[in-house]
């Protein structure tokens, strides 16, 4: 038997389990014919002793955690329960007790099963505290004493890394020991140095994060819940959602806590999960094809994007990644867990500011191409501060009309009386000529909102819709020689200031009457002749008018 199988364990339960399980595991964790020197009696007795060890049990669940029932149906689970088949996490965290003292933290988009009485980690990200014994993709892993390790299982990264303590793993027919600061690649069995660059497990899960479409140009499609449609600004991207861009098209996605991704033309990206955590947020994305330009704000948690070739893990940087594995870093540093150098597995790689790395190639100085220049220029455009100003023809209106000024590529909408309409325009001027459905007379609050690349500005204005002309009552007209004297009372439904205009002998005289007090007035004007014709006009702020010919 391999040396690892005979190492004494401080915890008796782990020793018993190791004796039973290692004796029946071959390369890759498959059950094979008995080959250990254990006697048939001891081989039969060991499993019964190991059966006294508690089975893997869900202790705590946050977010979407599901357990598969005996009938194959997945059901949401929040209460502690024994895992008899499989457990999976959508966006959230699960804490699984393994044995009496071991603990497995299951990250978003991860799955495990119960196998030979232990947890078998199948896909996703895991953090384990020892003492613990588990299977990892069918390979048996034992950490006898206190310690910590992480397990990463994706299409291009399959590793077990030791943060503290030591572990033993049965891999490819042999036992291998891995110590703190080391990791083992499950595909090759190579042990290499490990330095933690993506401690996703260190922050507490606080809820679901969010991503939304912040800008699009050209044909961009959104696939969500099995339906495909044109992506528009403001679309929320749930886990499982995918964006596809056509020729000469691009789309920008903004994330909880800040930062954004620009999906360049002819590219495809899917959202795996987005968490809100005590450290900001954790983002998991998958780039299927094309190019993604990433601006990750420092201090906002983790950000990971996987491609068919490489995985990238960052915590604040500006970088480009292509689905073919090309990585370019313009600010900060990007970790490439479990990648290769010169065609050989070499553990973690890192690409620093001013460097780029192609799959299987060496690190070289950054070389800008047309895609980089486009994104750099677009970042400068995005960085412009959003502005918004309104121009209303008056506070009282017969029909709502206004213009707004903002940046030319802003999305400007108007909301009034429960209806929201987009404002069209050009050169930064956005206009509403008239609502399709006229507003009834009354008082309203108009809200105009400008949105651009995740920025939002809002302006509100009170208005009065008034189509009723002002009224004149108790009019008295006196002509004494060349003096015309008028008196009366003015009322209006909307305005407190009404304009009066008298035209006499080709000359027009104007004044204002305040209706908030009494609305009464007395007005004397000159007459060119005692019998000169005269007329009176009343005009409110909405340009409603009343006319009267004076005797």
């Amino acid at each position: 038997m391999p040396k690892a199988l005979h190492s004494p364990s401080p915890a008796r339960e782990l020793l018993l389990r190791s004796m039973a399980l290692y004796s029946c595991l071959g390369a890759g964790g498959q059950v094979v014919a008995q080959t250990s020197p254990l006697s048939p009696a001891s081989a039969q007795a060991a499993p019964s002793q190991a059966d006294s060890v508690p089975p893997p049990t869900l202790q705590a669940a946050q977010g979407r955690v599901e357990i598969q029932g005996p009938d194959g149906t997945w059901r949401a689970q929040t209460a502690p329960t024994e895992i008899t088949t499989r457990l999976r996490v959508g966006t959230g965290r699960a804490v699984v007790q393994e044995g009496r003292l071991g603990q497995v933290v299951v990250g978003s988009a991860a799955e495990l099963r119960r196998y030979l009485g232990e947890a078998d980690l199948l896909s996703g990200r895991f953090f384990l505290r020892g003492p613990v014994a588990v299977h990892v993709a069918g390979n048996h892993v034992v950490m006898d004493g206190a310690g910590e390790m992480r397990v990463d299982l994706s299409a291009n990264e399959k590793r077990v890394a030791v943060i503290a303590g030591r572990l033993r793993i049965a891999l490819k027919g042999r036992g291998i020991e891995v110590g703190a600061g080391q990791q083992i690649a499950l595909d090759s069995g190579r042990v290499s140095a490990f330095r933690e660059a993506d401690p996703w497990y260190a922050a507490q899960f606080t809820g679901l994060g969010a991503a939304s479409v912040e800008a699009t140009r050209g044909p961009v499609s959104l696939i969500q819940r099995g339906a495909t449609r044109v992506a528009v600004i403001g679309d929320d991207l749930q886990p499982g959602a995918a964006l596809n861009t056509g020729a000469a098209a691009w789309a920008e996605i903004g994330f909880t806590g800040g930062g954004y991704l620009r999906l360049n033309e002819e590219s495809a990206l899917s959202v795996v999960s987005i968490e809100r955590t005590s450290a900001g947020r954790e983002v998991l994305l998958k780039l299927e094809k094309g190019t993604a330009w990433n601006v990750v704000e420092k201090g906002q948690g983790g950000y990971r994007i996987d491609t068919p070739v490489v995985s990238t893990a960052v915590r604040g940087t500006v970088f480009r990644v292509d689905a073919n594995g090309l990585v370019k870093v313009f600010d900060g540093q990007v970790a490439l867990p479990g990648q290769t150098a010169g065609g050989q597995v070499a553990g973690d790689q890192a690409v620093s500011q001013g460097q780029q790395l192609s799959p299987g190639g060496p690190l070289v100085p950054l070389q800008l191409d047309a895609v980089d220049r486009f994104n750099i220029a677009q970042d400068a455009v995005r960085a412009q501060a959003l502005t918004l100003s309104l121009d209303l023809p008056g506070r009282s209106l017969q029909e709502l009309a206004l213009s707004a000024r903002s940046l030319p590529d802003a999305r400007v909408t108007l909301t009034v009386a429960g209806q929201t309409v987009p404002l069209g325009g050009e050169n930064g001027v956005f206009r509403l000529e008239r609502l399709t459905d006229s507003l009834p007379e009354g008082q309203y609050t108009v809200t105009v909102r400008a949105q651009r690349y995740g920025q939002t500005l809002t302006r509100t204005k009170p208005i009065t819709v008034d189509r009723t002309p002002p009224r004149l009552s108790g009019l008295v007209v006196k002509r004494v020689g060349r003096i015309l004297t008028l008196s009366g009372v003015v009322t209006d439904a909307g305005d407190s200031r009404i304009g009066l205009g008298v035209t006499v002998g080709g000359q027009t005289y104007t004044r204002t009457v305040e209706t908030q007090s009494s609305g009464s007035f007395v007005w004397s004007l000159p007459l060119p002749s005692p019998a000169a014709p005269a007329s009176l006009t009343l005009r409110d702020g909405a340009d409603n008018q009343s006319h009267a010919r004076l005797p």
Side-chain angles (χ1 to χ4, degrees):
M1 294 178 65
K3 177 182 178 182
L5 307 189
H6 294 290
S7 299
S9 168
R12 178 175 174 77
E13 65 182 71
L14 289 179
L15 175 61
L16 294 173
R17 296 168 78 178
S18 296
M19 290 173 61
L21 292 168
Y22 272 107
S23 65
C24 61
L25 287 179
Q30 301 299 315
V31 178
V32 297
Q34 176 71 32
T35 57
S36 77
L38 289 175
S39 67
S42 62
Q44 293 174 359
S48 64
Q49 291 175 305
D51 286 344
S52 64
V53 176
T57 302
L58 174 66
Q59 284 186 318
Q62 294 177 292
R64 186 168 183 81
V65 177
E66 297 175 310
I67 288 182
Q68 189 179 48
D71 60 354
T73 302
W74 291 94
R75 295 181 177 87
Q77 187 68 44
T78 57
T81 185
E82 179 181 337
I83 301 170
T84 58
T85 52
R86 291 177 179 246
L87 176 144
R88 69 183 182 187
V89 178
T91 299
R93 302 277 175 87
V95 179
V96 174
Q97 179 178 335
E98 178 58 47
R100 291 191 176 88
L101 301 175
Q103 189 179 79
V104 180
V105 178
V106 187
S108 292
E111 183 174 342
L112 61 78
R113 65 171 178 165
R114 179 170 170 171
Y115 177 63
L116 296 178
E118 294 180 344
D120 183 12
L121 315 185
L122 300 177
S123 62
R125 303 192 295 180
F126 305 86
F127 173 72
L128 295 84
R129 294 185 178 92
V132 66
V134 296
H135 290 77
V136 177
N139 305 292
H140 199 228
V141 176
V142 175
M143 179 173 276
D144 290 324
E148 296 178 345
M149 60 176 154
R150 65 175 292 168
V151 174
D152 297 275
L153 301 172
S154 65
N156 47 41
E157 179 191 11
K158 294 179 174 61
R159 68 167 179 181
V160 178
V162 181
I163 301 167
R166 298 186 69 81
L167 64 79
R168 291 173 287 115
I169 180 171
L171 183 67
K172 298 184 180 299
R174 62 194 181 102
I176 303 173
E177 291 195 3
V178 184
Q182 293 182 314
Q183 62 184 347
I184 183 168
L186 299 180
D187 289 338
S188 66
R190 178 184 174 92
V191 177
S192 60
F194 167 74
R195 181 176 64 86
E196 183 60 275
D198 180 31
W200 60 270
Y201 46 83
Q204 182 180 1
F205 177 86
T206 59
L208 301 180
S212 62
V213 177
E214 293 186 344
T216 66
R217 293 293 185 276
V220 180
S221 62
L222 168 64
I223 304 171
Q224 192 156 246
R225 300 186 186 92
T228 302
R229 61 174 174 82
V230 174
V232 297
I233 295 174
D235 276 337
D236 288 329
L237 303 180
Q238 302 298 322
L243 280 181
N244 291 275
T245 57
W250 53 266
E252 289 191 10
I253 303 169
F255 301 99
T256 297
Y260 59 92
L261 175 149
R262 184 177 301 114
L263 189 63
N264 289 181
E265 66 173 344
E266 296 184 329
S267 301
L269 179 91
S270 59
V271 177
V272 179
S273 69
I274 302 175
E275 308 173 14
R276 284 189 294 110
T277 75
S278 57
R281 60 39 187 157
E282 288 288 331
V283 177
L284 292 176
L285 307 170
K286 188 173 183 179
L287 182 66
E288 304 285 355
K289 70 171 184 175
T291 298
W293 181 271
N294 307 269
V295 177
V296 184
E297 293 189 359
K298 294 179 174 65
Q300 284 297 329
Y303 182 96
R304 179 178 177 124
I305 181 168
D306 292 340
T307 79
V309 180
V310 298
S311 296
T312 63
V314 301
R315 290 182 175 262
T317 187
V318 178
F319 73 102
R320 165 187 166 183
V321 61
D322 292 2
N324 64 12
L326 174 65
V327 177
K328 294 184 173 184
V329 178
F330 297 81
D331 181 61
Q333 188 178 76
V334 173
L336 309 179
Q339 302 306 311
T340 61
Q344 300 296 320
V345 177
D348 292 358
Q349 296 283 292
V351 186
S352 299
Q353 180 175 338
Q355 294 180 325
Q356 67 183 56
L357 180 67
S358 297
L363 283 171
V364 298
L366 192 62
Q367 301 171 15
L368 299 186
D369 59 18
V371 174
D372 302 324
R373 294 186 182 93
F374 163 77
N375 284 288
I376 292 171
Q378 193 59 37
D379 281 353
V381 171
R382 181 187 172 106
Q384 290 181 273
L386 184 60
T387 60
L388 177 63
S389 62
L390 299 186
D391 181 15
L392 274 167
R395 182 166 178 171
S396 294
L397 305 165
Q398 294 182 15
E399 297 291 345
L400 177 57
L402 58 76
S403 63
R405 291 184 177 274
S406 188
L407 294 180
D409 57 349
R411 178 174 179 257
V412 181
T413 58
L414 176 145
T415 301
V416 63
Q419 56 179 317
T420 299
V421 296
L423 301 187
E426 57 184 18
N427 299 323
V429 180
F430 303 83
R431 290 186 174 86
L432 173 71
E433 302 296 341
R434 182 170 179 167
L435 288 171
T436 302
D437 298 322
S438 295
L439 296 172
E441 287 188 301
Q443 296 181 336
Y444 300 90
T445 297
V446 174
T447 301
V448 177
R449 179 174 290 107
Q451 295 173 297
R452 180 179 183 270
Y453 301 115
Q455 302 177 72
T456 300
L457 286 179
T458 302
R459 301 285 184 266
T460 59
K461 293 286 186 181
I463 65 163
T464 299
V465 176
D466 179 15
R467 302 185 187 91
T468 302
R471 296 179 180 180
L472 175 64
S473 61
L475 176 63
V476 177
V477 180
K478 292 183 180 180
R479 293 174 183 259
V480 179
R482 292 179 178 270
I483 299 296
L484 174 66
T485 301
L486 308 176
S487 63
V489 177
V490 176
T491 58
D492 188 78
D495 281 316
S496 60
R497 295 169 59 87
I498 304 299
L500 273 61
V502 172
T503 301
V504 55
Q507 181 71 35
T508 299
Y509 302 90
T510 62
R511 65 168 292 179
T512 299
V513 175
E514 294 285 347
T515 63
Q516 282 185 333
S517 54
S518 64
S520 62
F521 69 94
V522 177
W523 191 9
S524 296
L525 305 100
L527 285 169
S529 64
S535 63
L536 173 65
T537 297
L538 284 73
R539 187 192 308 268
D540 64 16
D543 202 31
N544 298 301
Q545 300 178 29
S546 298
H547 304 279
R549 184 172 294 277
L550 303 180

